[in-house]
mmCIF file of all heavy atoms in Angstrom:
data_model
loop_
_atom_site.group_PDB
_atom_site.id
_atom_site.type_symbol
_atom_site.label_atom_id
_atom_site.label_comp_id
_atom_site.label_asym_id
_atom_site.label_seq_id
_atom_site.Cartn_x
_atom_site.Cartn_y
_atom_site.Cartn_z
ATOM 1 N N VAL H 267 81.903 95.305 96.841
ATOM 2 C CA VAL H 267 81.596 94.104 97.619
ATOM 3 C C VAL H 267 82.864 93.295 97.677
ATOM 4 O O VAL H 267 83.721 93.283 96.781
ATOM 5 C CB VAL H 267 80.461 93.316 97.013
ATOM 6 C CG1 VAL H 267 79.151 94.085 97.123
ATOM 7 C CG2 VAL H 267 80.715 92.911 95.640
ATOM 8 N N SER H 268 82.954 92.405 98.691
ATOM 9 C CA SER H 268 84.122 91.792 98.988
ATOM 10 C C SER H 268 84.296 90.391 98.336
ATOM 11 O O SER H 268 85.346 89.773 98.386
ATOM 12 C CB SER H 268 84.495 91.595 100.616
ATOM 13 O OG SER H 268 83.314 91.046 101.104
ATOM 14 N N GLY H 269 83.207 89.785 97.803
ATOM 15 C CA GLY H 269 83.293 88.593 97.205
ATOM 16 C C GLY H 269 82.122 88.347 96.386
ATOM 17 O O GLY H 269 81.043 88.990 96.455
ATOM 18 N N GLY H 270 82.143 87.288 95.513
ATOM 19 C CA GLY H 270 80.966 86.877 94.757
ATOM 20 C C GLY H 270 81.464 85.839 93.690
ATOM 21 O O GLY H 270 82.537 85.278 93.727
ATOM 22 N N GLY H 271 80.488 85.663 92.673
ATOM 23 C CA GLY H 271 80.746 84.564 91.692
ATOM 24 C C GLY H 271 81.127 84.936 90.270
ATOM 25 O O GLY H 271 80.650 84.162 89.403
ATOM 26 N N TYR H 272 81.772 86.142 90.145
ATOM 27 C CA TYR H 272 82.136 86.398 88.731
ATOM 28 C C TYR H 272 83.757 86.157 88.634
ATOM 29 O O TYR H 272 84.477 86.572 89.531
ATOM 30 C CB TYR H 272 81.892 87.791 88.320
ATOM 31 C CG TYR H 272 80.485 88.071 88.120
ATOM 32 C CD1 TYR H 272 79.610 88.896 88.964
ATOM 33 C CD2 TYR H 272 79.904 87.412 87.019
ATOM 34 C CE1 TYR H 272 78.365 89.033 88.759
ATOM 35 C CE2 TYR H 272 78.468 87.644 86.802
ATOM 36 C CZ TYR H 272 77.688 88.478 87.735
ATOM 37 O OH TYR H 272 76.336 88.630 87.425
ATOM 38 N N ALA H 273 84.141 85.614 87.547
ATOM 39 C CA ALA H 273 85.466 85.332 87.245
ATOM 40 C C ALA H 273 86.158 86.638 87.192
ATOM 41 O O ALA H 273 85.810 87.564 86.510
ATOM 42 C CB ALA H 273 85.775 84.595 85.923
ATOM 43 N N MET H 274 87.459 86.750 87.883
ATOM 44 C CA MET H 274 88.300 87.978 87.727
ATOM 45 C C MET H 274 89.283 87.791 86.786
ATOM 46 O O MET H 274 90.148 86.884 86.923
ATOM 47 C CB MET H 274 88.825 88.189 89.167
ATOM 48 C CG MET H 274 87.810 88.644 90.168
ATOM 49 S SD MET H 274 88.393 88.156 91.928
ATOM 50 C CE MET H 274 87.761 86.382 91.953
ATOM 51 N N ILE H 275 89.271 88.505 85.690
ATOM 52 C CA ILE H 275 90.196 88.192 84.661
ATOM 53 C C ILE H 275 91.665 88.960 84.884
ATOM 54 O O ILE H 275 92.477 88.606 84.097
ATOM 55 C CB ILE H 275 89.601 88.576 83.213
ATOM 56 C CG1 ILE H 275 89.306 90.032 83.139
ATOM 57 C CG2 ILE H 275 88.478 87.753 82.920
ATOM 58 C CD1 ILE H 275 89.025 90.489 81.643
ATOM 59 N N GLY H 276 91.613 89.783 85.778
ATOM 60 C CA GLY H 276 92.909 90.520 86.088
ATOM 61 C C GLY H 276 92.701 91.497 87.220
ATOM 62 O O GLY H 276 91.539 91.632 87.636
ATOM 63 N N THR H 277 93.723 92.186 87.541
ATOM 64 C CA THR H 277 93.689 93.220 88.517
ATOM 65 C C THR H 277 94.386 94.430 88.078
ATOM 66 O O THR H 277 95.639 94.308 87.698
ATOM 67 C CB THR H 277 94.174 92.693 89.935
ATOM 68 O OG1 THR H 277 93.497 91.507 90.347
ATOM 69 C CG2 THR H 277 93.976 93.670 91.075
ATOM 70 N N VAL H 278 93.781 95.629 88.212
ATOM 71 C CA VAL H 278 94.476 96.818 87.866
ATOM 72 C C VAL H 278 95.611 97.112 88.875
ATOM 73 O O VAL H 278 95.295 96.968 90.140
ATOM 74 C CB VAL H 278 93.516 98.037 87.802
ATOM 75 C CG1 VAL H 278 94.278 99.258 87.610
ATOM 76 C CG2 VAL H 278 92.504 97.813 86.675
ATOM 77 N N VAL H 279 96.717 97.599 88.477
ATOM 78 C CA VAL H 279 97.817 97.817 89.473
ATOM 79 C C VAL H 279 97.424 98.906 90.348
ATOM 80 O O VAL H 279 96.758 99.885 90.044
ATOM 81 C CB VAL H 279 99.170 98.038 88.770
ATOM 82 C CG1 VAL H 279 99.509 96.989 87.889
ATOM 83 C CG2 VAL H 279 99.129 99.378 88.059
ATOM 84 N N SER H 280 97.896 98.817 91.677
ATOM 85 C CA SER H 280 97.509 99.841 92.698
ATOM 86 C C SER H 280 97.791 101.206 92.265
ATOM 87 O O SER H 280 97.047 102.139 92.496
ATOM 88 C CB SER H 280 98.188 99.560 94.039
ATOM 89 O OG SER H 280 99.507 99.569 93.901
ATOM 90 N N ALA H 281 98.939 101.426 91.475
ATOM 91 C CA ALA H 281 99.369 102.741 91.047
ATOM 92 C C ALA H 281 98.327 103.353 90.165
ATOM 93 O O ALA H 281 98.308 104.658 90.019
ATOM 94 C CB ALA H 281 100.662 102.712 90.324
ATOM 95 N N ASP H 282 97.467 102.635 89.432
ATOM 96 C CA ASP H 282 96.511 103.211 88.517
ATOM 97 C C ASP H 282 95.144 103.385 88.988
ATOM 98 O O ASP H 282 94.263 103.809 88.410
ATOM 99 C CB ASP H 282 96.460 102.351 87.236
ATOM 100 C CG ASP H 282 97.736 102.547 86.322
ATOM 101 O OD1 ASP H 282 98.517 103.518 86.647
ATOM 102 O OD2 ASP H 282 97.918 101.817 85.383
#
Side-chain angles (χ1 to χ4, degrees):
Chain H
V267 293
S268 55
Y272 288 113
M274 295 150 269
I275 63 169
T277 303
V278 174
V279 304
S280 59
D282 284 349

